[in-house]
Amino acid sequence: MRKRLLLMLVPFLVEFAASQAVQQSRTLVINGQSGEVSVLQMNGRSFVDLAALAQLANGTLGFHGDQIVLSLPASAANVPAKAPSASQPNNSAFSKEFMTAGIETMSVIREWRSALANAIQNGYPVSANWVESYRGKAAQSLRLASVAASTDSDQQALQLLTNELDNMQKWSDKILKAYKDMDAAKYMSPDALNNDPLFQKILNCAHSLAAMSASGQFQDDGSCH
């Protein structure tokens, strides 16, 4: 929108007063636009030619009856910034609801990972039904996290949580196959898990997600891809 400034026609200055005026060339800045204009100084006041003012401000000057109409474009700098709604969370941070659901999902996956690692390293039996109970809890927690995701950071972190769960499922399936094939003994050595790339990927992703939850900000270091 353009604002209209209506200036009433100024009475002509009497000749003897004009003789006392001082006219100088000055730099005038309007809405970030600067230019040289002639400024008439008299009785402590400064007067600028309206035509020069309109040209400098990219405005228009018109005459309607006894009125002088000066139209100047609105300055974007003078438009107050729209304050963010209190009901809308900052998209650079996690929402409170997602933080709660995400931490719960991480906790369930960690419990699954720790229980399975402890079982194979101590030679405990591992069955599909036993594993399924952990998988089901983790999947349900992830669904709740997806429902709670509302900000950009929530959605990005949700994808990393999904990657973590997918990798955990792959590792769990691999362990179950090893038990089925009577080949689980290879995971019982002290260095077995340290030398397992998929397990280490899951572990590194867990550490990255924990650091994110502590900061409350999305930070992707590539560990969960």
Side-chain angles (χ1 to χ4, degrees):
M1 296 180 60
R2 299 170 65 87
K3 59 184 180 181
R4 295 169 57 88
L5 175 63
L6 302 181
L7 302 177
M8 300 303 297
L9 185 63
V10 181
F12 290 102
L13 299 176
V14 293
E15 185 175 351
F16 79 90
S19 64
Q20 299 178 12
V22 178
Q23 183 170 331
Q24 296 178 326
S25 179
R26 295 286 182 88
T27 299
L28 182 64
V29 181
I30 302 177
N31 294 344
Q33 300 290 334
S34 63
E36 294 291 328
V37 296
S38 295
V39 178
L40 186 67
Q41 294 181 321
M42 185 176 61
N43 296 331
R45 297 185 177 184
S46 299
F47 300 87
V48 178
D49 180 64
L50 288 179
L53 179 65
Q55 181 179 7
L56 177 61
N58 294 321
T60 59
L61 181 66
F63 299 88
H64 301 283
D66 62 349
Q67 292 183 330
I68 302 175
V69 181
L70 176 63
S71 298
L72 301 177
S75 172
N78 292 331
V79 178
K82 183 179 180 181
S85 171
S87 62
Q88 296 179 343
N90 185 349
N91 278 351
S92 65
F94 297 131
S95 66
K96 180 179 179 180
E97 294 77 8
F98 178 77
M99 279 282 289
T100 301
I103 291 174
E104 175 63 20
T105 303
M106 291 162 52
S107 176
V108 173
I109 295 176
R110 180 176 64 251
E111 183 181 358
W112 182 8
R113 183 189 72 237
S114 299
L116 189 55
N118 182 66
I120 60 176
Q121 291 214 305
N122 289 280
Y124 299 150
V126 174
S127 66
N129 289 338
W130 180 75
V131 168
E132 178 60 25
S133 65
Y134 286 103
R135 190 206 66 78
K137 288 172 59 178
Q140 176 62 16
S141 292
L142 184 64
R143 281 192 293 269
L144 294 177
S146 67
V147 172
S150 59
T151 70
D152 292 341
S153 290
D154 290 352
Q155 295 292 340
Q156 291 173 312
L158 178 63
Q159 183 57 58
L160 300 188
L161 275 173
T162 302
N163 294 345
E164 176 77 334
L165 181 57
D166 288 345
N167 286 330
M168 185 62 212
Q169 181 64 59
K170 292 176 183 177
W171 185 65
S172 182
D173 290 344
K174 185 174 73 170
I175 299 301
L176 281 175
K177 186 177 185 302
Y179 269 83
K180 182 178 179 180
D181 297 341
M182 306 297 290
D183 196 26
K186 65 182 180 181
Y187 291 103
M188 296 179 184
S189 65
D191 296 329
L193 296 182
N194 292 334
N195 297 326
D196 187 329
L198 184 54
F199 179 82
Q200 290 301 313
K201 185 178 185 65
I202 294 169
L203 196 61
N204 291 334
C205 179
H207 292 161
S208 177
L209 292 172
M212 263 193 288
S213 65
S215 68
Q217 301 284 336
F218 179 77
Q219 301 168 348
D220 188 359
D221 60 6
S223 298
C224 300
H225 293 282

